[in-house]
Amino acid sequence: MQRPEAWPRPHLGEGAAAAQAGGLAPPARAGEPAAPRLQEPSLYTIKAVFILDNDGHRLLAKYYDDTFPSMKEQRAFEKNVFNKTSRTDSEIAFFGGMTIVYKSSIDLFLYVVGSSHENELMLMSVLTCLFESLNHILRKNVEKRWLLENMDGAFLVLDEIVDGGVILESDPQQVIQKVNFRVLQSAKEQIKWSLLK
């Protein structure tokens, strides 16, 4: 039995756009059946992370690619996602060619967005890490009031979990340690500058 030959990478102009979009493979050679192209693995798994209040208003958001380049497009997307997910009990939604995992807590909705071919378990690990890290930072009060009072800490948490769409960490304990270290370093710098004045 012969091993199937690996597909060559497409060149620009011969199916590269289709391959990036998860389309079909380049045309099969004579006598070979056409098969769907598998997505090449990528570290850039996260398209966006955002937190909305129970009215669907943005509290925190980071977009990691140019799928929604303007603020207007981002807000419209968030509103549509909120309308689709706010009244359901599930944790995964497929919307606009994207996979979205989400969780609600008191008066907050936390969302992690990936492409349509992204592994839901990877996205869910980011969501769980975000929620558990915020739970620790906000002293088990993951709600709008406490989030708004600790927004700088929330952004630090998010920056330790995802950078540019790449998942850096999915262990909440590691995230908390790194955030605490950064806060401590910042406090030392402030003390140093105040002593020099």
Side-chain angles (χ1 to χ4, degrees):
M1 183 169 164
Q2 281 188 334
R3 266 179 67 187
E5 194 177 301
W7 287 328
R9 289 187 176 198
H11 299 287
L12 246 41
E14 85 173 35
Q20 287 177 348
L24 295 178
R29 291 184 219 138
E32 291 182 11
R37 178 179 263 315
L38 298 175
Q39 276 302 103
E40 288 191 33
S42 171
L43 291 175
Y44 300 96
T45 56
I46 307 298
K47 289 186 164 291
V49 176
F50 53 90
I51 300 176
L52 308 177
D53 66 12
N54 58 354
D55 295 321
H57 298 118
R58 175 194 285 193
L59 301 174
L60 178 151
K62 280 212 168 186
Y63 285 78
Y64 299 105
D65 67 7
D66 59 354
T67 304
F68 303 101
S70 72
M71 180 72 73
K72 183 178 178 182
E73 291 172 305
Q74 292 173 7
R75 298 272 178 151
F77 173 68
E78 291 165 12
K79 181 180 178 185
N80 289 334
V81 168
F82 178 78
N83 290 337
K84 180 172 180 154
T85 60
S86 63
R87 294 175 188 86
T88 64
D89 290 332
S90 64
E91 298 174 328
I92 300 174
F94 300 97
F95 181 78
M98 284 172 262
T99 303
I100 303 164
V101 295
Y102 58 98
K103 179 179 187 73
S104 64
S105 173
I106 304 173
D107 57 355
L108 297 178
F109 288 85
L110 292 80
Y111 297 90
V112 175
V113 181
S115 64
S116 60
H117 65 274
E118 206 53 65
N119 184 331
E120 295 91 356
L121 295 176
M122 290 289 289
L123 299 177
M124 191 57 80
S125 71
V126 170
L127 179 64
T128 301
C129 183
L130 176 63
F131 180 79
E132 293 299 325
S133 300
L134 288 176
N135 192 37
H136 181 81
I137 294 232
L138 302 177
R139 295 180 176 86
K140 303 197 185 305
N141 295 311
V142 184
E143 55 186 287
K144 182 178 178 178
R145 177 178 153 220
W146 296 105
L147 179 69
L148 291 174
E149 289 181 9
N150 295 282
M151 194 59 81
D152 53 344
F155 273 106
L156 280 174
V157 162
L158 186 53
D159 289 344
E160 290 298 335
I161 297 171
V162 180
D163 182 27
V166 177
I167 301 170
L168 298 178
E169 189 61 68
S170 61
D171 179 6
Q173 293 303 315
Q174 292 294 318
V175 171
I176 298 303
Q177 285 179 1
K178 290 175 183 176
V179 167
N180 288 340
F181 179 76
R182 284 175 69 174
V183 169
L184 183 63
Q185 290 300 102
S186 176
K188 283 181 181 178
E189 287 294 317
Q190 288 176 356
I191 291 170
K192 181 174 121 180
W193 284 110
S194 67
L195 292 174
L196 291 174
K197 289 183 179 180

